[in-house]
Amino acid sequence: MQVHRLVWAAMALLVVTATACGQNRLQSSSTTQPITVGLITPLSPPGDVASGQLIQRGAELGVEYVNSQLHGVLGGRKLQLAVEDSAGKNDQGVNDYRLLVTEKKAVAVTGFFHSSVNIAVNEVAHQIGVPTISTQGSAADITAKHYPETFRTHVIDPIRVSAWLQWIQERGFKRVAMVAETTDYGVGLVDETQRQARAKGLDIAFDAEMFDHSATDLTPQLLKVKAFDPDLLINIGVGTPMDLIVDQAREVGLYPQVPMLVSYDGPVRPQWWQLHPQDGNGVYFIAYYSPREPLSNAGQWLARRYQERYHEPPVYSSLSAFGDVLVIAEAIQRANSADPRKITAALASGSFSSWTKATVSFPNAPGAYYHTWSPPVLILHYTQPNQDWQHAELIETYSRKT
Amino acid sequence: MSGAHLAIRELSAGYQPGIDVVREVTLDLPPGRVTAVVGPNGAGKSTLLKTVFGFLRPRAGQVTLDGRPIHSLGPHRIKGLGVGYVPQGLNLFPQLTVEENLRMGGWTLRRDGRRLRARLDQVYDLFPALRQHRRRPAHELSGGQARMLATAREVVPEPRLLLVDEPTAGLSPALSGQVYEFLATVRRALGTSLLLVDQQIQEALEIADHVVLMDLGRVRAQGPRAEMHLARVRALIQRCLEGVDG
Amino acid sequence: MWLAVSPGLLAQFTLAGLMMGVLYALMALGITFIYGVMKTINWAMGEFYMIGSFVQYLIVSHLLGPDLWWLALPATAASVFVLGMLVQRLLLRPMFVGGVERRDEYATVITIALLLLLRSLAAVINGPYQHTPGSHLPDVTLGPLSVPGAEVAAAVVGVLVLGLFFLLLHRTWPGLALRAAAQNRIGVQTAGVDLLRLDMVAFGIGVSLAAVAGGLLAPVYLVYPTNGAVATTKGFEIIVIGGLGSIWGALVGGLLLGLAEALGSALIAPAYQNAYGFLLLILLLLIRPIGLFGERARVV
């Protein structure tokens, strides 16, 4: 009997010790395991693949920066990126989000380019509670529903339009033509431009010609614009359409007689001069940083690494995605936790550094400005062929005054 | 030009694995002779011809042409050895002209333009009605002219063996008679061996030197025409239909 | 909404539409030709257009320069021809050598999978870039319209290529065999044609036509991984308009589509450019469902 008790006691001790060790191992592995950040972005058609790839580049470099320069989060835990392809489709984006959150244990999800995908995912995020940060979605409803889990770091339409309307007023343009793609982006900018102009009582005549993003012959639209006799043409195409508008506007005799403003920083890329060796000169375009609006240390690191790896400066899509990963890492630190709910609270209450020297925060602001941070908007102007964008004339910097 | 010697030994073939439509068929076609294969529906007669021409790979057995095995060759290779195949129905190119149809028949002679031209002229001599309509698309021909063209086309490359599958299927007696005249013309002119399948037993027997009766994939009886005369063949077929072994 | 269009400008739009129609016809011709011979639809045709544009760009920008674009074009066509034959041999031949029961479904699945593979591969390899081989051809002035020289050259060469194609079909032995195979696949075999090899050649020719269109339009509409998507859509619109399997249908259908888009854009609204082709398609389907030159199976 004595022996039996001893044996039972020994066995009990063994079990307890084993359990305790096992627990410890589990705890230590969960505190050293990487933390996953999800990226949902278009990497196949019908999504905008080029934009998705640029976003992925930025996000990957963001993870690399956090791990190598900041030594991870929460005492050395590495970040890792889990990438899912939305293909620009809402249902696929939603499936991606569920996969990232349930199987890959993503603590936050970013990378969104297509507004419609972002909006669909945010409905699910609102239920599940893992926060999303929109990298490049411009539609108001992404944050206008005021779901606490939803955030955005993108120049939304009102800010971009405010910038160029200010410039238009300063330059005295009276007849403004817009050639825009029928995406949320294009339609949103056209509507917002006309709305703000009305609200501000501006004496400007507008002509808006729309085209399908997949269209390749835009001469009919441009001929209509020419008949309107504008003194400014705003090019609201993204990617290939933007380039086609530049070429075809020249073909119909519209440009460079009529100055052109490109609605985003496409002309920053070296391929601009390969595609438009002559026509590229003289164009005005939106950008988000310049030598006079310098990058933060993190941004400078990104610019260097990006240039080394991809032989061109980072464009907005990459900058924004890089910044989103950085913000998520900082929110994890601030929350001192990888719990998505705590990360959400940290995002809503904190200030963060990003690729630009401006501080990032997500205010509880009205309408689409809710949880939205926008970088400054610059208007640059190429004044000679083959010009490095960093030497382009800086017309003005526009920041939203809250 | 003389006909080829076709030898078939224990040939078995089918469209689905494990199901033979042709079973252990053995027959010999001497050069320049006509062998008629007759039998009820589903006997495997057409399948036999398809197998000989390479449309079907046999499961077992052998087919030789002048001693050379051909049972593993594809149709275009067998054609190149001088075998022609006139399948059931019309095998024409409806939108091509008569001349183009004949030229397609001479595909294997395409590198010898002179010989091809000579052959076309000879074929036109054999079938003068075709010369008249040489520029018309084939679909505009009458039934008889179309049959003529189908036969003529196979004859352009001077085949040494012609496989003919039910040439009179669905035709009126008058047209059937015409078709057999074409075949007789070809045989006289070229000395081609003929392996002929037909349900019209009477006409087939008239042209045949040797008769083979098939039923359910097997050869039930064969012999020279003198032995396999019409009455006997009909009786044998009746027995097949009644399920009595031949 | 109505654009006030002068007769002169309307004439220019018509000409521009016809020029575009020639290129559309090239795209559609490949699809209809392959269908005619092999009785299968190649859903990945647009990706061969895309590959053609990339090959043309690479040869011009890295080897020959923009002035020798016309020398690069046969190389583009030849390389995609070879690629097409390989694709047919490896992916589609199994349909014809037994073991595949539902041929249409097989072809659809395989060619759609090929479409996705080629498009995704191009996106991954190319990255987020667009390219142009460039062109030194001077603009051509047609009334008030200035048309890029490259676009005019594309239309002219397109017509030449169509002419060459017709010559191939009607004056050569392979052409005769191809026309015959489109009418009777058993018949060409009994004639002694190696049909499996002919299918390879037909597929190669079909995709190289699309590649030529891609190469010709590379300096006009840029080179990027998804530029074939439009070619696929237009190609299939045209073969429905013109009749599946009809070569004349591809030509006339292409011209009609180009005209419909140009005139619709000029007279109604340019924003709905893509819709005019579909309206034409619906109209024709109501009047003549088999297409302008389509035929119900004709047997003798």
Side-chain angles (χ1 to χ4, degrees), chain B residues 92-103 124 129-146 149, chain C residues 179 183 298 300:
Chain B
L92 296 178
F93 305 110
Q95 272 103 37
L96 297 187
T97 62
V98 166
E99 171 108 344
E100 286 173 329
N101 267 273
L102 291 174
R103 286 170 66 79
Y124 283 133
L130 293 180
R131 194 196 298 272
Q132 217 180 328
H133 299 295
R134 63 201 292 173
R135 299 201 197 289
R136 290 180 71 188
H139 69 82
E140 289 182 12
L141 298 178
S142 69
Q145 290 164 346
L149 179 59
Chain C
R179 280 190 295 139
Q183 297 170 39
R298 167 172 276 162
V300 181

Side-chain angles (χ1 to χ4, degrees), chain A residues 193-216:
Chain A
T193 303
Q194 292 169 326
R195 190 198 68 76
Q196 279 194 29
R198 268 195 310 273
K200 292 173 184 173
L202 299 179
D203 177 24
I204 299 173
F206 290 102
D207 176 46
E209 301 300 331
M210 312 301 291
F211 63 90
D212 188 90
H213 183 74
S214 65
T216 46

Side-chain angles (χ1 to χ4, degrees), chain B residues 26-202:
Chain B
T26 294
L27 65 88
D28 254 289
L29 179 59
R33 313 295 261 172
V34 179
T35 297
V37 180
V38 298
N41 268 331
K45 310 185 295 293
S46 298
T47 307
L48 176 67
L49 293 192
K50 284 179 188 159
T51 309
V52 170
F53 194 68
F55 277 125
L56 269 185
R57 192 57 67 90
R59 187 185 58 73
Q62 221 190 35
V63 181
T64 60
L65 190 73
D66 292 334
R68 177 188 169 159
I70 62 167
H71 47 269
S72 58
L73 298 181
H76 69 282
R77 299 281 298 278
I78 292 177
K79 178 78 179 189
L81 295 173
V83 179
Y85 176 51
V86 184
Q88 220 173 50
L90 275 175
N91 188 31
L92 296 178
F93 305 110
Q95 272 103 37
L96 297 187
T97 62
V98 166
E99 171 108 344
E100 286 173 329
N101 267 273
L102 291 174
R103 286 170 66 79
M104 270 310 297
W107 172 266
T108 50
L109 304 179
R110 65 192 183 283
R111 292 196 174 93
D112 189 345
R114 195 171 293 179
R115 184 174 166 213
L116 176 61
R117 190 67 253 163
R119 282 301 303 145
L120 288 176
D121 287 337
Q122 284 163 8
V123 166
Y124 283 133
D125 289 339
L126 275 177
F127 303 102
L130 293 180
R131 194 196 298 272
Q132 217 180 328
H133 299 295
R134 63 201 292 173
R135 299 201 197 289
R136 290 180 71 188
H139 69 82
E140 289 182 12
L141 298 178
S142 69
Q145 290 164 346
R147 294 282 163 177
M148 187 191 300
L149 179 59
T151 311
R153 210 186 83 200
E154 286 309 318
V155 160
V156 170
E158 291 182 290
R160 298 168 53 238
L161 166 66
L162 203 55
L163 310 170
V164 184
D165 191 358
E166 308 233 15
T168 59
L171 294 188
S172 66
L175 263 178
S176 300
Q178 271 189 44
V179 169
Y180 271 97
E181 273 175 39
F182 302 150
L183 290 176
T185 303
V186 165
R187 190 202 174 178
R188 269 196 309 274
L190 300 178
T192 306
S193 310
L194 225 58
L195 183 59
L196 167 68
V197 162
D198 210 342
Q199 299 238 13
Q200 304 273 21
I201 310 164
Q202 188 167 351

